[in-house]
Amino acid sequence: MKHSRRNFLTLAGASSLLAIAAPKLLAQGIPQEILNKILPLPGKYGEYYGQAKIRAFHLHNQPETSPLHKALEELWIEVFKQTEGELFVSPIPHDASIPAGDPQAVQFITDGRFEIVSVAGPIIDQVAPDVIGIQNIALIYQSSQDAFEIINQPLFAETLNGSVTKYNLTYLPYGTFDNGMRVVTSIANKPIYQLEDFRNLTIRIPPSNDMAMTMAALGAIPEKVTMNQVFQFLKSGAVQAQENPLSVALGFKLYEVTKYLNMTNHAWSGYNTFFNTDFWNSLSPEVQKVIQNLLPVYQAKQIKAQEEYNQYAYEQLVGTLGMVEIKPNLSGASRELIKVYRSIYNRLNPQAQSLIRSKLEERTGSKFA
């Protein structure tokens, strides 16, 4: 039995804006200027859309210039071609500017208002706490490659899909894309040189219990804010810092409202792709197979493109845009976080625990039963 809308919203920790009724795909709640950009689609892209037998939309929170958006465009054009016009999917950046951002985007997929969404792990750590916590554990991954060694195991896909199926969501193998290691950008009087500098730092985090526990354990004051509001919260002084991959600091122009680029590399960030299950099941086996075959191809392309873009973002932020780079000494952080690690680990189901146990033990020197 599927969970109710009320239960989902409670678990997702979303705002009251999620109460928008959505009986039709293009009903209220989507600004007209966004609809004008989506339909009709320009040029050859619009021709493909017009020719397709099945049309769908894929929400994500990144800009059009991001490696994620570009990879999704290429993926869905290739699906269109290989299915001989059966399916065409249009990626929509910035979650179509819907008011409550990522949590609302996920809700729209469960309801069937849109068909596909890509979201970061922290957004759904209350929806799939028994699996997604693997992605949210701080200071255990050294790189994106380190994280994908776990995420691309068949057991991860099987377990995550089993966890979200009650919300009318489907996750496929190789359905996670990269965003890179998360760093902290902070305002002029809040550089981070060492662990102690987190004390009483008001920092924006995603709507995530795991991230809130992590930052609180380091002594910071976490504020849950969706990505579409981060710039204004920093500009107004409501928060003193935020944490995200380098590409986000560049793509969302956070260099305009923060000074320090604190290279904490404290967590990995990626985008998990979920299909509305009814939509997925409505596709023919042949179309499903095309998508399943292409996902690992375009995941690999996107990971490479994201690594290159993050290096470009770093050079832009520190060079052209004048942010001040700091490489904090975070030695001792694992001791501060051991209770958080155990809390997240104890919420994981046995299959997910088996995926992360050895890495946790290696990084902390502690046993995880």
Side-chain angles (χ1 to χ4, degrees):
M1 179 181 294
K2 296 185 178 80
H3 281 213
S4 69
R5 178 180 174 85
R6 181 181 296 275
N7 287 342
F8 181 94
L9 298 184
T10 300
L11 286 167
S15 75
S16 60
L17 288 168
L18 290 182
I20 295 173
K24 296 181 180 179
L25 176 64
L26 300 177
Q28 73 264 21
I30 308 298
Q32 187 60 47
E33 61 268 23
I34 299 298
L35 298 184
N36 291 342
K37 290 177 66 176
I38 298 170
L39 297 172
L41 296 165
K44 193 67 177 175
Y45 209 68
E47 290 182 29
Y48 289 149
Y49 178 88
Q51 295 167 11
K53 297 176 183 177
I54 302 171
R55 302 163 183 172
F57 295 93
H58 186 154
L59 300 178
H60 66 85
N61 74 6
Q62 292 293 286
E64 287 179 285
T65 55
S66 67
L68 176 65
H69 184 80
K70 293 177 180 179
L72 293 178
E73 282 190 327
E74 293 175 6
L75 165 66
W76 292 120
I77 287 174
E78 187 62 26
V79 168
F80 173 81
K81 292 177 178 178
Q82 290 198 20
T83 61
E84 299 181 342
E86 183 74 16
L87 171 66
F88 186 73
V89 177
S90 304
I92 309 179
H94 296 298
D95 288 329
S97 297
I98 53 180
D102 284 328
Q104 190 175 20
V106 176
Q107 178 64 54
F108 280 179
I109 305 306
T110 70
D111 287 347
R113 182 171 184 174
F114 291 100
E115 292 81 9
I116 311 166
V117 68
S118 292
V119 291
I123 297 298
I124 57 168
D125 66 13
Q126 296 173 68
V127 175
D130 56 333
V131 183
I132 208 65
I134 284 175
Q135 297 182 4
N136 298 343
I137 302 175
L139 295 169
I140 67 162
Y141 297 115
Q142 306 298 304
S143 65
S144 294
Q145 181 180 358
D146 202 17
F148 276 104
E149 287 177 1
I150 292 175
I151 293 166
N152 277 346
Q153 293 186 36
L155 182 58
F156 175 81
E158 176 186 336
T159 307
L160 180 55
N161 184 56
S163 181
V164 301
T165 187
K166 57 183 172 286
Y167 296 114
N168 200 28
L169 298 174
T170 293
Y171 175 84
L172 302 176
Y174 299 96
T176 297
F177 296 93
D178 189 28
N179 204 14
M181 301 302 293
R182 301 176 81 95
V183 301
V184 176
T185 66
S186 56
I187 62 174
N189 63 342
K190 288 293 181 178
I192 300 174
Y193 293 104
Q194 55 194 353
L195 196 57
E196 287 73 19
D197 291 326
F198 277 96
R199 304 292 177 191
N200 298 317
L201 177 72
T202 305
I203 185 169
R204 175 271 169 183
I205 61 168
S208 162
N209 282 353
D210 291 344
M211 194 65 74
M213 285 193 301
T214 297
M215 288 299 165
L218 296 178
I221 302 170
E223 294 287 344
K224 296 179 180 179
V225 178
T226 53
M227 194 63 229
N228 58 348
Q229 301 179 74
V230 172
F231 187 96
Q232 288 302 322
F233 267 65
L234 285 163
K235 184 177 181 179
S236 70
V239 296
Q240 300 165 321
Q242 68 84 42
E243 52 81 49
N244 259 305
L246 292 161
S247 59
V248 174
L250 181 63
F252 286 81
K253 299 184 178 182
L254 301 183
Y255 51 84
E256 294 183 0
V257 286
T258 55
K259 176 179 180 179
Y260 293 105
L261 185 65
N262 306 282
M263 299 296 289
T264 52
N265 292 324
H266 58 278
W268 172 81
S269 184
Y271 288 94
N272 304 284
T273 299
F274 298 98
F275 292 74
N276 171 278
T277 299
D278 295 335
F279 169 72
W280 174 255
N281 290 339
S282 74
L283 300 176
S284 69
E286 293 76 17
V287 171
Q288 290 180 348
K289 186 172 179 60
V290 168
I291 295 170
Q292 290 167 325
N293 288 342
L294 287 175
L295 273 176
V297 175
Y298 282 90
Q299 184 202 60
K301 287 184 178 182
Q302 191 273 336
I303 291 172
K304 184 176 185 298
Q306 189 69 53
E307 289 174 351
E308 293 171 353
Y309 187 77
N310 283 347
Q311 180 60 36
Y312 167 78
Y314 168 79
E315 293 167 358
Q316 289 293 303
L317 293 168
V318 174
T320 306
L321 299 169
M323 293 194 76
V324 177
E325 179 187 9
I326 297 175
K327 296 181 179 179
N329 177 4
L330 299 184
S331 58
S334 293
R335 291 193 299 273
E336 302 292 334
L337 294 175
I338 192 67
K339 290 184 179 179
V340 175
Y341 292 161
R342 293 197 181 280
S343 176
I344 294 175
Y345 179 83
N346 289 337
R347 278 189 275 111
L348 298 176
N349 63 41
Q351 292 80 11
Q353 287 179 340
S354 71
L355 287 169
I356 200 68
R357 184 181 301 119
S358 62
K359 188 170 289 294
L360 272 173
E361 292 180 344
E362 174 188 344
R363 295 286 184 261
T364 65
S366 300
K367 286 291 182 182
F368 285 77

